[in-house]
């Protein structure tokens, strides 16, 4: 049937939107593949607000949902996916003012990044334009982002305001189920537990030669 013709043989899970203008929205469906239990946003003013910016493309205009930075203008998102992602593009939508982020830095597959970690060289950096309607797409270097299970997005600065405000972040690409290579994490104790190694108390025998 004609509706499935665009599916490239793989079920896209959004065939219901295929009619009409749903094509564009369907492309930005990676938000459905985020492991929201483990999604982190560092320096968010309101706890949990960072997760709100990852939503359907059609809902990007909902200005009740946004994240604002707290102590300074930096924001850092740690985004784990439920499988492997080929990331093709990013949209960043903010206010048409100086709270809009001015730069975006992408890091792949470095879980639990901190602001200290963000000092390293990113996989790709973008200078951002103000985008109050969520129309500007920043294409990634697909070869570099073809097997991403964790994406970190660092916004180091904005256009001069005290804090940064973001309404919507769109992620475009393809998702594939993770192959079952469960990583076994062995917890080696960093310091030996003295209780495990009871040293026999060696009492030095002093022999006096008389």
């Amino acid at each position: 049937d004609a509706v499935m013709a665009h599916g490239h043989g793989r079920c896209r899970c959004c065939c219901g939107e295929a009619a009409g203008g749903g094509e564009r929205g369907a492309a930005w469906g990676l938000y459905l593949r985020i492991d929201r239990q483990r999604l982190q946003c560092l320096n968010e003013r309101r706890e949990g607000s960072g997760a709100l910016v990852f939503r359907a493309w059609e809902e990007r205009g909902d200005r009740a949902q946004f994240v604002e930075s707290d102590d300074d203008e930096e924001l850092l998102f740690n985004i784990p996916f439920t499988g492997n992602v080929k990331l093709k593009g990013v949209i960043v939508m903010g206010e048409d003012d100086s709270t809009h982020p001015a730069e975006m830095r992408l890091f792949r597959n470095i879980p639990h990044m901190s602001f200290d970690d963000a000092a390293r060289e990113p996989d790709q950096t973008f200078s951002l334009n103000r985008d109050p309607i969520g129309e500007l797409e920043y294409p990634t270097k697909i070869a570099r982002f073809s097997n991403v299970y964790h994406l970190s997005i660092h916004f180091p600065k904005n256009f001069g305001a005290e804090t940064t405000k973001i309404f919507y972040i769109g992620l475009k690409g393809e998702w594939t189920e993770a192959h079952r290579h469960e990583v076994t994490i062995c917890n080696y104790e960093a310091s030996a537990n003295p209780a495990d190694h009871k040293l026999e108390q060696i009492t030095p025998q002093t022999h006096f030669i008389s």
Side-chain angles (χ1 to χ4, degrees):
D1 77 8
V3 178
M4 289 298 288
H6 74 289
H8 311 298
R10 192 185 294 139
C11 186
R12 272 290 206 280
C13 315
C14 31
C15 306
E17 298 171 344
E23 276 297 321
R24 174 105 198 245
W28 296 90
L30 280 185
Y31 73 98
L32 294 167
R33 305 304 188 179
I34 294 172
D35 181 349
R36 290 187 177 261
Q37 297 300 311
R38 297 190 300 128
L39 174 71
Q40 282 183 314
C41 178
L42 305 189
N43 198 34
E44 58 185 6
R45 176 168 293 183
R46 201 169 75 246
E47 195 177 337
S49 56
L52 302 176
V53 303
F54 299 97
R55 56 184 188 269
W57 187 77
E58 295 81 1
E59 294 169 17
R60 68 194 185 286
D62 177 1
R63 295 195 164 257
Q65 302 194 64
F66 63 88
V67 61
E68 188 171 2
S69 62
D70 191 16
D71 293 334
D72 54 25
E73 73 275 27
E74 283 190 88
L75 281 169
L76 175 61
F77 292 88
N78 280 315
I79 308 157
F81 294 106
T82 57
N84 290 320
V85 163
K86 180 187 283 187
L87 184 69
K88 296 180 175 180
V90 183
I91 287 177
V92 180
M93 175 179 154
E95 292 278 23
D96 195 8
D97 63 17
S98 56
T99 64
H100 195 294
E103 187 180 300
M104 172 172 66
R105 305 166 75 238
L106 302 182
F107 300 85
R108 64 185 173 88
N109 301 344
I110 310 173
H112 311 298
M113 272 190 74
S114 66
F115 284 111
D116 288 344
D117 297 328
R120 70 173 74 188
E121 191 63 32
D123 290 294
Q124 196 169 355
T125 303
F126 299 89
S127 290
L128 302 181
N129 293 305
R130 293 180 196 177
D131 183 11
I133 55 174
E135 286 291 336
L136 297 176
E137 181 179 332
Y138 298 93
T140 61
K141 297 172 181 164
I142 295 176
R144 199 169 283 185
F145 293 95
S146 63
N147 195 6
V148 180
Y149 59 85
H150 185 285
L151 176 70
S152 298
I153 308 180
H154 179 218
F155 296 99
K157 58 179 190 250
N158 57 25
F159 286 95
E162 295 282 311
T163 59
T164 296
K165 204 169 178 181
I166 297 173
F167 287 100
Y168 169 79
I169 296 176
L171 301 174
K172 183 169 89 171
E174 294 170 15
W175 176 88
T176 50
E177 210 163 335
H179 302 299
R180 288 261 164 254
H181 46 212
E182 295 297 313
V183 180
T184 310
I185 296 173
C186 302
N187 291 314
Y188 292 106
E189 289 181 1
S191 54
N193 182 352
D196 293 343
H197 311 278
K198 283 235 186 321
L199 290 175
E200 298 306 312
Q201 289 302 319
I202 311 291
T203 317
Q205 299 291 322
T206 321
H207 296 286
F208 291 105
I209 313 289
S210 51

